Amino acid sequence: MDKILEAVVMSSYPNNVKQGLVRRVIEAAKQPMDSEQCWSMLELSTKLYLTGDTKYKREIGKEVLEVYGHYHPEEFEEFFNVHFLLSLLQEGYGPLGKRSHYVLDYIQLGLQFVLESPSANSIFSLLRIEVLRKVCERPSPKQCAKISKLLTQHPQCIPTGKHQLLFCQQLIRCIGQFQCVSEGEEEIMEFLEQVNKVSGLLQRIWRTQTSAILPSLKELFTIISSTEEQEAPSNALASVVQFVPLELMDGVIRNLTNDDSITDVQMMMAIGRMIDWVSWPLGKNIDKWIIALLKGLAAVKKFSILIEVTLSKIEKVFSKLLYPIVREGALSVLQYMLLSFQHSHEAFHLLLPHIPRLVASLKKEDSNSATSSLEQLAELIHCMFFRFSGFPDLYEPVLEAVKALPIPNEDRIKHLLGQNAWTSQKNELACFYPRLASKSETGKIGLINLGNTCYMNSIIQSLFMASDFRHSVLNLTEGNSQPLMTKLQWLFAFLEHSQRPAISPESFLSASWPPWFTPGAQQDCSEYLKYLLDRLHEEEKTGKRIYQKLKESSLTSQAVEHHYLNKTLIEKMFGGKMMTKIRCLKCLNVSSREEAFTDLSLAFPPSDRNVHGSTSVLPVEEIGPQFIDPPENAGQLMGSPWIRRKAPMASDHAAPSVSVETLGFQERGEAANPIRGNDVGVDATKDPLSTFGEQACAPKDSRSVPDLINYFLSPERLTAENKYHCEKCASLQDAEKVAELTEGPHYLILTLLRFSFDPRTMKRKKILDNVSIPVVLKLPILVAPEETEEGCQHGKSGAVPGSGFMTVVYDLCSVVVHSGISSESGHYYCYSRECTDTVPHGQPRDGVPKPASDKQLDFEIQWYLFNDTRVSFSSFESVSNVTSFFPKDTAYVLFYRQRPDRQSCLLHEALAEAGCLHGEPSLHKDLMEAISKDNILFLQEQEKEARNRAAYISALPKSPLWWRDLDRDKDDDSSSGGCSPAAGGGGSGSFHGLVF
């Protein structure tokens, strides 16, 4: 009968004809027959099943085997013996070079017919040894899956005891070598199914033998932490982790992170490869294990590992959000990586170029998964904006991309940041400031944030960029008996000459620290600036008193020279004077008091005050603070600000009032006021800065800096509870108070009073109103009548005939921005530029200053953005628009520099003669040596770090070949169907662009 069957199978008849003949043979096999005939048929069917070159032949072999196993059990058991199986497993079946791949399938088929036979136990014992040997030989994924299928169906064949533990470990090593060599969809699905069968076997063993779990995991960790030069282990290992019970997680992670035998390089290698597992499709709990290990490393303060791994892997994790099948796990890992990386903006900034494109792709996908991911991603982005504010130029494209998505409230943001931080002790991360290989391309140097010290950093950078002040500080001689000024000199010198990308202001912080400030807490930068300037001023005054008698014996200076040279440096640079006058409305008596100031604190007008364009909140006739002695008759009151009068017409020749003005700062479509242009001696139609009116223009409902100054200078009525005690009347009377600037500072510091105390919440709240900032500001300064007349005779641009005021022009040089909604929180950064003199050095003293039209346009002067360690190029456009894009980022402290005229030239020339204005001053020997030594030390540190970093980076696992970066899909937007990342749906079509 075997000859008949072989002849039929090997014939050239059609399969349907063959099938009828085979049916007869199989039916005949169900009848009793002798043992020899059974052996012949079993040998033939075994041959057909194992070596058949077509699926049809193998199917016939299988049918015959099943019939003989069922109807002739004794003969089948005798044929399917231990020796036969041993030869199959060890020697294979078929000719050399063409051994059958179906041996394991054959054994699985035959086992079902010998389970109750006396030889069953011998067969099971043999298979327990042989499957272990097979696994140790590292079979292919397909063969490994067959072993798993065999053992899953016949668990009696699973190795026991010590062999079982070894079997699990070797099976994990097999999985670690699995690779999918094809990108075809069917092959990928088959590969995934094979891996799931193998990992499913491990799950079955672990369920019955929990003692095998930890040794198996130890083997897994050994594989992924290996630093030997070899092919990276397969991401298929992720399928193993998903079956580890979560209740073991804490213990496993604790043991790993506290194991001193595991080196940092091994741990970094392991966590890096685990993060690669986010690309494994259909895996469960993989993200939980990755996050648990990251948290475990943070708990034992392995911050250097976390930093290296995060920076090297975060872009890969982000790229997986394109694919629905792995999106959920990738997003969980990304959230933790970003929210925990709070010491530096580096990780978040790596993602900035990719975010707009990903958002567009998810919107295009339009699935539930994409919508949910977009909302979570937007929340994450706003958390990063909140934590790392001060990068408006970088964030604008990202903000534009997510502007239509929900914005989380501040409590939610603080909660997310608080629960994910690596440590609550910020000083533990102080040494891990952003690594900058070299100076910023701007050539400027940053300042390291020492724990909420951005308020100090922004002030120091603003003072440093005030070039006249910087030169004066650097020019101070050794042993000037001013310890704080000396420390500032050293800090400025290092900012000027260091090769480091950023330096630590720790020494200056400890010396200038206001005693009531809380260490580690955010502070008010304006409060710090006032304290710093006052300390420097008082320190120099104390030194001057010591030498006063020596100076008096040799002092032969002129009055003006005496006026300047006997001032402290702070008075020379930032000191101005203001006259406060109070006029009794009953007797018209005026009392006055002159005060010095280093900054003007500008309150916001009440919301019911009208805003007139960008120049004033009051009608022009009410603004000019021009006091006149009490009149003898009503006709003499026309020049007084106390009397309301009709606004002068263009044809009137009465003296116009003087207000705070701006250049090139007017409402769109509004002609420049010809009267005001005459006030300052500038032809508005010819002023080159007026062409920038649109750029500097503010929205009609917003405030401007001139509005706030005019409000500051406008008369205030003292009535009711605020009545004034008039000495002449000897009683409380209604009065009016007005402030007048009598001496303009060289550097005008304006503080916008944005913080006010809210009695309801018992907190300081912030006024978020956008305030437009003019790049050029005109300020009215009250002068003696003779000075006004002299200014008019010499054609001074700022003199207003008969008004008693001179207009002083100021150029914007720094803007300190506060990001946040409270003075106790948020972040500070600053925009700065170096303003230069209008009047060149060497111009005759009796000459007339160059008009603004001949001056280099202020908009052409380079702006810089200082944000702690980061310094970048910026522009006035960015300064003007920052609040429009980021409503919580508002200008807080402004620095303006006075344009020199004949009066202020005396100060400039005094400074120039001291060698301060032109070129950087030479530093004293000790300071130069200190900077030189530190630069050499920095180069040595760079060399050492480069070697260490090279070793670290080389230890980081390289992604398997079946990774696909986000960048790969740049040209895929036009594709359609399952190949597009935007196709969505999470079906098999997404596999094309996934991990393989």
Side-chain angles (χ1 to χ4, degrees), residues 102-137:
Y102 301 98
V103 169
L104 290 170
D105 306 86
Y106 176 82
I107 292 174
Q108 182 181 342
L109 176 64
L111 274 178
Q112 60 183 312
F113 302 110
V114 296
L115 295 177
E116 304 297 329
S117 69
S119 62
N121 288 333
S122 299
I123 292 174
F124 295 154
S125 297
L126 169 68
L127 291 176
R128 282 194 286 267
I129 296 173
E130 285 301 306
V131 293
L132 177 58
R133 182 184 62 80
K134 281 281 188 185
V135 168
C136 290
E137 293 175 353

Side-chain angles (χ1 to χ4, degrees), residues 101 103 135 174 198 221 225 278 309 326 441 501 527 610 639 670 747 934:
H101 299 295
V103 169
V135 168
C174 281
V198 179
F221 186 82
S225 64
V278 297
V309 169
V326 296
E441 61 180 354
E527 187 178 2
N610 292 325
E670 178 182 331
Y747 282 102
D934 186 69

Side-chain angles (χ1 to χ4, degrees), residues 553-769:
S553 63
S554 60
L555 191 62
T556 57
S557 305
Q558 297 177 356
V560 171
E561 186 179 0
H562 177 86
H563 175 69
Y564 283 116
L565 299 182
N566 282 291
K567 286 185 173 184
T568 66
L569 179 60
I570 299 304
E571 287 176 312
K572 294 174 188 175
M573 291 294 167
F574 305 102
K577 289 184 180 178
M578 178 168 45
M579 184 77 73
T580 302
K581 297 183 178 181
I582 302 178
R583 178 172 177 267
C584 175
L585 294 181
K586 182 178 181 181
C587 68
L588 301 181
N589 180 58
V590 176
S591 63
S592 60
R593 184 180 77 253
E594 190 173 51
E595 298 175 298
F597 67 88
T598 54
D599 81 312
L600 296 180
S601 298
L602 306 179
F604 282 71
S607 57
D608 57 351
R609 290 291 287 265
N610 292 325
V611 178
H612 289 279
S614 57
T615 57
S616 172
V617 296
L618 298 173
V620 173
E621 64 271 20
E622 288 187 84
I623 295 172
Q626 30 192 339
F627 277 95
I628 299 179
D629 292 334
E632 295 180 2
N633 57 67
Q636 293 179 331
L637 291 174
M638 287 304 294
S640 171
W642 308 111
I643 303 299
R644 290 184 177 271
R645 62 186 187 277
K646 181 182 175 182
M649 302 299 290
S651 59
D652 292 346
H653 297 285
S657 61
V658 180
S659 65
V660 181
E661 301 178 52
T662 65
L663 288 182
F665 194 91
Q666 58 196 57
E667 290 294 344
R668 300 185 191 203
E670 178 182 331
N673 189 327
I675 298 178
R676 190 171 299 120
N678 293 334
D679 290 346
V680 296
V682 176
D683 183 351
T685 61
K686 295 181 181 179
D687 180 12
L689 291 174
S690 64
T691 59
F692 291 88
E694 287 195 11
Q695 187 172 4
C697 178
K700 291 186 178 181
D701 58 347
S702 72
R703 308 284 188 186
S704 70
V705 169
D707 291 338
L708 303 189
I709 298 178
N710 283 323
Y711 179 62
F712 177 84
L713 296 176
S714 62
E716 176 187 359
R717 183 67 66 95
L718 304 177
T719 60
E721 295 179 357
N722 295 324
K723 281 188 177 183
Y724 165 68
H725 185 274
C726 176
E727 293 182 0
K728 192 171 180 180
C729 298
S731 61
L732 293 173
Q733 297 293 336
D734 288 348
E736 280 191 319
K737 182 174 74 171
V738 71
E740 297 171 333
L741 302 178
T742 57
E743 184 180 319
H746 184 61
Y747 282 102
L748 173 66
I749 300 175
L750 304 176
T751 301
L752 311 188
L753 296 179
R754 291 189 173 276
F755 301 110
S756 60
F757 184 76
D758 188 345
R760 293 177 302 170
T761 60
M762 300 301 289
K763 291 182 179 179
R764 292 178 74 192
K765 65 178 182 179
K766 181 178 177 182
I767 300 171
L768 294 172
D769 294 5

Side-chain angles (χ1 to χ4, degrees), residues 56 118 265 338 461 537 586 603 607 774 776 790 802 846 855 986:
Y56 174 73
V265 173
L338 274 183
Q461 294 286 19
H537 168 68
K586 182 178 181 181
S607 57
V776 180
E790 181 186 353
D846 57 352
K855 183 179 182 290

Side-chain angles (χ1 to χ4, degrees), residues 326-549:
V326 296
R327 183 176 292 152
E328 183 179 354
L331 186 56
S332 296
V333 175
L334 179 72
Q335 284 176 323
Y336 179 76
M337 292 175 84
L338 274 183
L339 291 172
S340 62
F341 202 93
Q342 293 187 29
H343 71 288
S344 161
H345 55 259
E346 288 177 285
F348 178 51
H349 285 192
L350 286 174
L351 304 181
L352 294 180
H354 311 304
I355 291 175
R357 183 173 164 271
L358 175 69
V359 170
S361 179
L362 291 178
K363 287 180 178 178
K364 183 180 177 182
E365 181 181 315
D366 193 26
S367 66
N368 291 336
S369 167
T371 302
S372 173
S373 297
L374 271 175
E375 292 177 357
Q376 294 179 68
L377 183 62
E379 181 177 72
L380 191 57
I381 289 169
H382 283 289
C383 285
M384 294 298 100
F385 284 167
F386 181 87
R387 180 66 187 87
F388 304 116
S389 55
F391 302 92
D393 298 345
L394 290 177
Y395 292 169
E396 283 179 18
V398 177
L399 189 67
E400 183 68 21
V402 300
K403 65 181 180 181
L405 298 171
I407 301 175
N409 60 44
E410 188 167 339
D411 290 338
R412 169 66 175 166
I413 290 174
K414 288 180 177 178
H415 171 71
L416 289 172
L417 291 171
Q419 71 176 6
N420 289 286
W422 285 337
T423 173
S424 60
Q425 305 299 318
K426 295 180 181 177
N427 59 331
E428 291 181 341
L429 287 164
C431 59
F432 296 107
Y433 63 90
R435 288 186 306 273
L436 303 169
S438 59
K439 267 189 182 181
S440 159
E441 61 180 354
T442 64
K444 305 296 181 183
I445 296 175
L447 289 168
I448 296 169
N449 192 316
L450 302 173
N452 277 332
T453 58
C454 54
Y455 67 91
M456 178 189 71
N457 290 349
S458 57
I459 291 299
I460 289 175
Q461 294 286 19
S462 297
L463 292 175
F464 178 80
M465 293 295 284
S467 53
D468 298 338
F469 177 64
R470 178 179 77 242
H471 293 157
S472 299
V473 171
L474 292 175
N475 198 62
L476 291 172
T477 57
E478 234 178 323
N480 55 47
S481 69
Q482 300 177 56
L484 183 58
M485 185 66 82
T486 300
K487 286 186 179 293
L488 182 62
Q489 181 187 44
W490 278 64
L491 183 56
F492 278 5
F494 272 82
L495 284 174
E496 187 74 50
H497 299 289
S498 178
Q499 292 301 314
R500 294 181 183 274
I503 60 175
S504 171
E506 186 173 5
S507 176
F508 187 77
L509 173 65
S510 60
S512 63
W513 182 273
W516 61 89
F517 276 15
T518 304
Q522 184 61 278
Q523 306 294 343
D524 188 328
C525 77
S526 173
E527 187 178 2
Y528 173 77
L529 174 61
K530 287 183 175 71
Y531 176 80
L532 175 61
L533 296 182
D534 186 59
R535 276 277 309 276
L536 293 170
H537 168 68
E538 292 298 329
E539 187 179 79
E540 186 175 351
K541 267 178 42 175
T542 302
K544 283 181 179 292
R545 290 193 198 103
I546 296 174
Y547 299 103
Q548 189 64 37
K549 290 186 179 180

